[in-house]
Amino acid sequence: AALIEECLVAGKIVPVEISLALLRNAMREANGQSLIFLIDGFPRNFDNLEGWTRVMATPVEEEIATESGNDKRNIGVAAVWGVLVYECPLPILEQRVMERSKDSGRSDDNLESLRRRFKTF
């Protein structure tokens, strides 16, 4: 958590392995209720996309508890169907994030971190 916080405040990209572990956990928690996910803000760069292809598109066998005992199933297969990219003028983005900062409690919702983040991407 400290490394994520440090990256966010510095306007850097969180290491892809950490981002993917968090995404994979969130997808597992959906527990089959959804097979389609819209992931906002990812991938942020080509390294993120390569990491997704390497880690998330590779089948992984996981043992799960069922009523009849333990069962094995393949997980981790998740394909990227597309990426949406929106362009927005920097002053509008700054205005939106500063408005969000009033309620978000995020340490990276400040102009300094925001401007570093924009340069990173």
Side-chain angles (χ1 to χ4, degrees), residues 27-99:
M27 292 169 142
R28 281 184 186 155
E29 287 175 14
N31 208 17
Q33 295 172 10
S34 178
L35 298 176
I36 298 173
F37 299 91
L38 175 62
I39 303 169
D40 183 24
F42 192 91
R44 292 200 182 270
N45 59 22
F46 193 69
D47 181 53
N48 282 174
L49 180 59
E50 281 184 324
W52 180 281
T53 303
R54 185 180 67 252
V55 175
M56 300 294 273
T58 304
V60 176
E61 212 172 68
E62 178 181 69
E63 196 167 294
I64 58 168
T66 63
E67 288 181 16
S68 61
N70 287 344
D71 224 353
K72 289 190 177 188
R73 67 176 181 176
N74 264 345
I75 60 158
V77 178
V80 175
W81 287 359
V83 175
L84 302 175
V85 177
Y86 295 98
E87 291 189 24
C88 184
L90 286 178
I92 300 296
L93 291 173
E94 288 178 356
Q95 178 185 4
R96 289 180 178 179
V97 172
M98 294 316 296
E99 186 63 32

Side-chain angles (χ1 to χ4, degrees), residues 100-117:
R100 178 181 75 184
S101 72
K102 294 176 182 175
D103 300 319
S104 73
R106 289 178 51 158
S107 60
D108 62 328
D109 276 353
N110 61 72
L111 282 177
E112 186 180 328
S113 294
L114 183 63
R115 289 178 177 155
R116 281 191 298 243
R117 191 177 334 148

Side-chain angles (χ1 to χ4, degrees), residues 3-4 7 13-25 42 45 47-52 54-56:
L3 177 60
I4 293 172
C7 288
I13 294 176
V14 175
V16 68
E17 292 79 10
I18 294 172
S19 297
L20 292 176
L22 294 170
L23 285 169
R24 178 175 268 172
N25 289 342
F42 192 91
N45 59 22
D47 181 53
N48 282 174
L49 180 59
E50 281 184 324
W52 180 281
R54 185 180 67 252
V55 175
M56 300 294 273

